[in-house]
Amino acid sequence: DQQVKQNSPSLSVQEGRISILNCDYTNSMFDYFLWYKKYPAEGPTFLISISSIKDKNEDGRFTVFLNKSAKHLSLHIVPSQPGDSAVYFCAARTEYGNKLVFGAGTILRVKS
Amino acid sequence: EPEVTQTPSHQVTQMGQEVILRCVPISNHLYFYWYRQILGQKVEFLVSFYNNEISEKSEIFDDQFSVERPDGSNFTLKIRSTKLEDSAMYFCASMWQINEKLFFGSGTQLSVL
């Protein structure tokens, strides 16, 4: 079951620069997308979401872009900070969907 | 901010033994979930629970698994006869209504020896 794919297992970025994390999906019934951040030995914490009726959602340093035709979304973090170092999961669900489908995650390392 | 609480944080058990993982979801939430993450793999959906019954379950959630909401606050996952491959981090999650964000607990690391 590879409905949500994060093809980059890891990403390393210099502090202050932009981090771009990518996610692709195959299920055209998905219409709500979320990014979660996870530190070791903790549960995933919600970061930002986007509905399929939008193509961009911004919250402080975090922006999510959605390209429905390409079935692709990305998370931009700018400027990146060392505290952003974590695993980032892309997740999706269908309208009135009962469950989230997660990608495999991308490890982000922000170097100071 | 309210949070989902899970106990214990670590559980070690022998193969074939029963384990019960416990969760206290956020108090006004109505939808409850169990997910798990095997080391190095993705977070996988196990089961969802609403209105005192299972609303959806994955193929992982076989007859060895069960969930219960025994009172107004706790939500438990029972594995009747654990297998080595059940070793994983188990996350409980809750949300107050459909289309809202899901809040996760910090997980129970289950090790089956």
Side-chain angles (χ1 to χ4, degrees):
Chain A
D1 181 351
Q2 291 283 314
Q3 296 187 74
V4 178
K5 301 178 193 178
Q6 293 177 256
N7 291 320
S8 298
S10 65
L11 175 68
S12 187
V13 170
Q14 198 66 36
E15 180 180 7
R17 305 296 290 268
I18 185 170
S19 297
I20 300 175
L21 298 106
N22 293 303
C23 177
D24 297 290
Y25 61 97
T26 55
N27 188 343
S28 57
M29 300 301 291
F30 287 147
D31 79 337
Y32 192 68
F33 305 90
L34 306 90
W35 284 94
Y36 279 82
K37 175 174 157 180
K38 185 182 179 304
Y39 293 116
E42 293 184 14
T45 54
F46 171 78
L47 198 55
I48 193 169
S49 62
I50 189 166
S51 163
S52 60
I53 61 173
K54 294 185 172 182
D55 54 18
K56 177 182 174 182
N57 189 26
E58 196 170 350
D59 184 1
R61 296 185 297 114
F62 303 91
T63 304
V64 56
F65 295 92
L66 175 63
N67 182 335
K68 279 192 72 178
S69 60
K71 294 192 178 68
H72 176 83
L73 63 154
S74 60
L75 174 68
H76 292 212
I77 306 173
V78 55
S80 301
Q81 299 172 354
D84 296 329
S85 298
V87 180
Y88 288 78
F89 291 98
C90 173
R93 68 170 170 233
T94 58
E95 185 178 9
Y96 306 114
N98 194 21
K99 69 180 186 191
L100 290 180
V101 179
F102 282 85
T106 297
I107 301 170
L108 174 66
R109 294 187 187 92
V110 180
K111 299 176 288 187
S112 55
Chain B
E1 186 173 77
E3 56 183 30
V4 176
T5 306
Q6 289 186 246
T7 54
S9 56
H10 293 86
Q11 174 88 49
V12 181
T13 189
Q14 295 290 324
M15 191 169 58
Q17 294 295 303
E18 175 184 286
V19 293
I20 297 176
L21 310 183
R22 301 179 192 280
C23 170
V24 179
I26 295 173
S27 62
N28 63 338
H29 284 189
L30 302 176
Y31 297 83
F32 312 110
Y33 301 80
W34 284 100
Y35 283 79
R36 79 173 186 190
Q37 186 182 26
I38 294 171
L39 186 64
Q41 298 185 24
K42 62 169 63 179
V43 177
E44 300 176 291
F45 168 78
L46 292 179
V47 66
S48 59
F49 192 87
Y50 171 72
N51 201 25
N52 283 321
E53 60 183 24
I54 290 173
S55 45
E56 189 173 351
K57 60 183 181 180
S58 72
E59 59 275 9
I60 302 168
F61 194 89
D62 62 21
D63 292 343
Q64 294 300 311
F65 290 86
S66 62
V67 289
E68 198 175 41
R69 187 155 162 82
D71 52 42
S73 59
N74 292 284
F75 180 52
T76 61
L77 174 69
K78 183 195 292 187
I79 310 175
R80 253 178 283 281
S81 177
T82 50
K83 303 189 272 285
L84 294 176
E85 55 265 35
D86 293 328
S87 296
M89 179 73 91
Y90 288 79
F91 294 106
C92 174
S94 69
M95 69 184 176
W96 79 278
Q97 68 174 23
I98 289 289
N99 286 347
E100 288 294 320
K101 64 187 183 191
L102 205 51
F103 289 83
F104 284 83
S106 54
T108 294
Q109 179 65 57
L110 176 65
S111 299
V112 182
L113 306 178

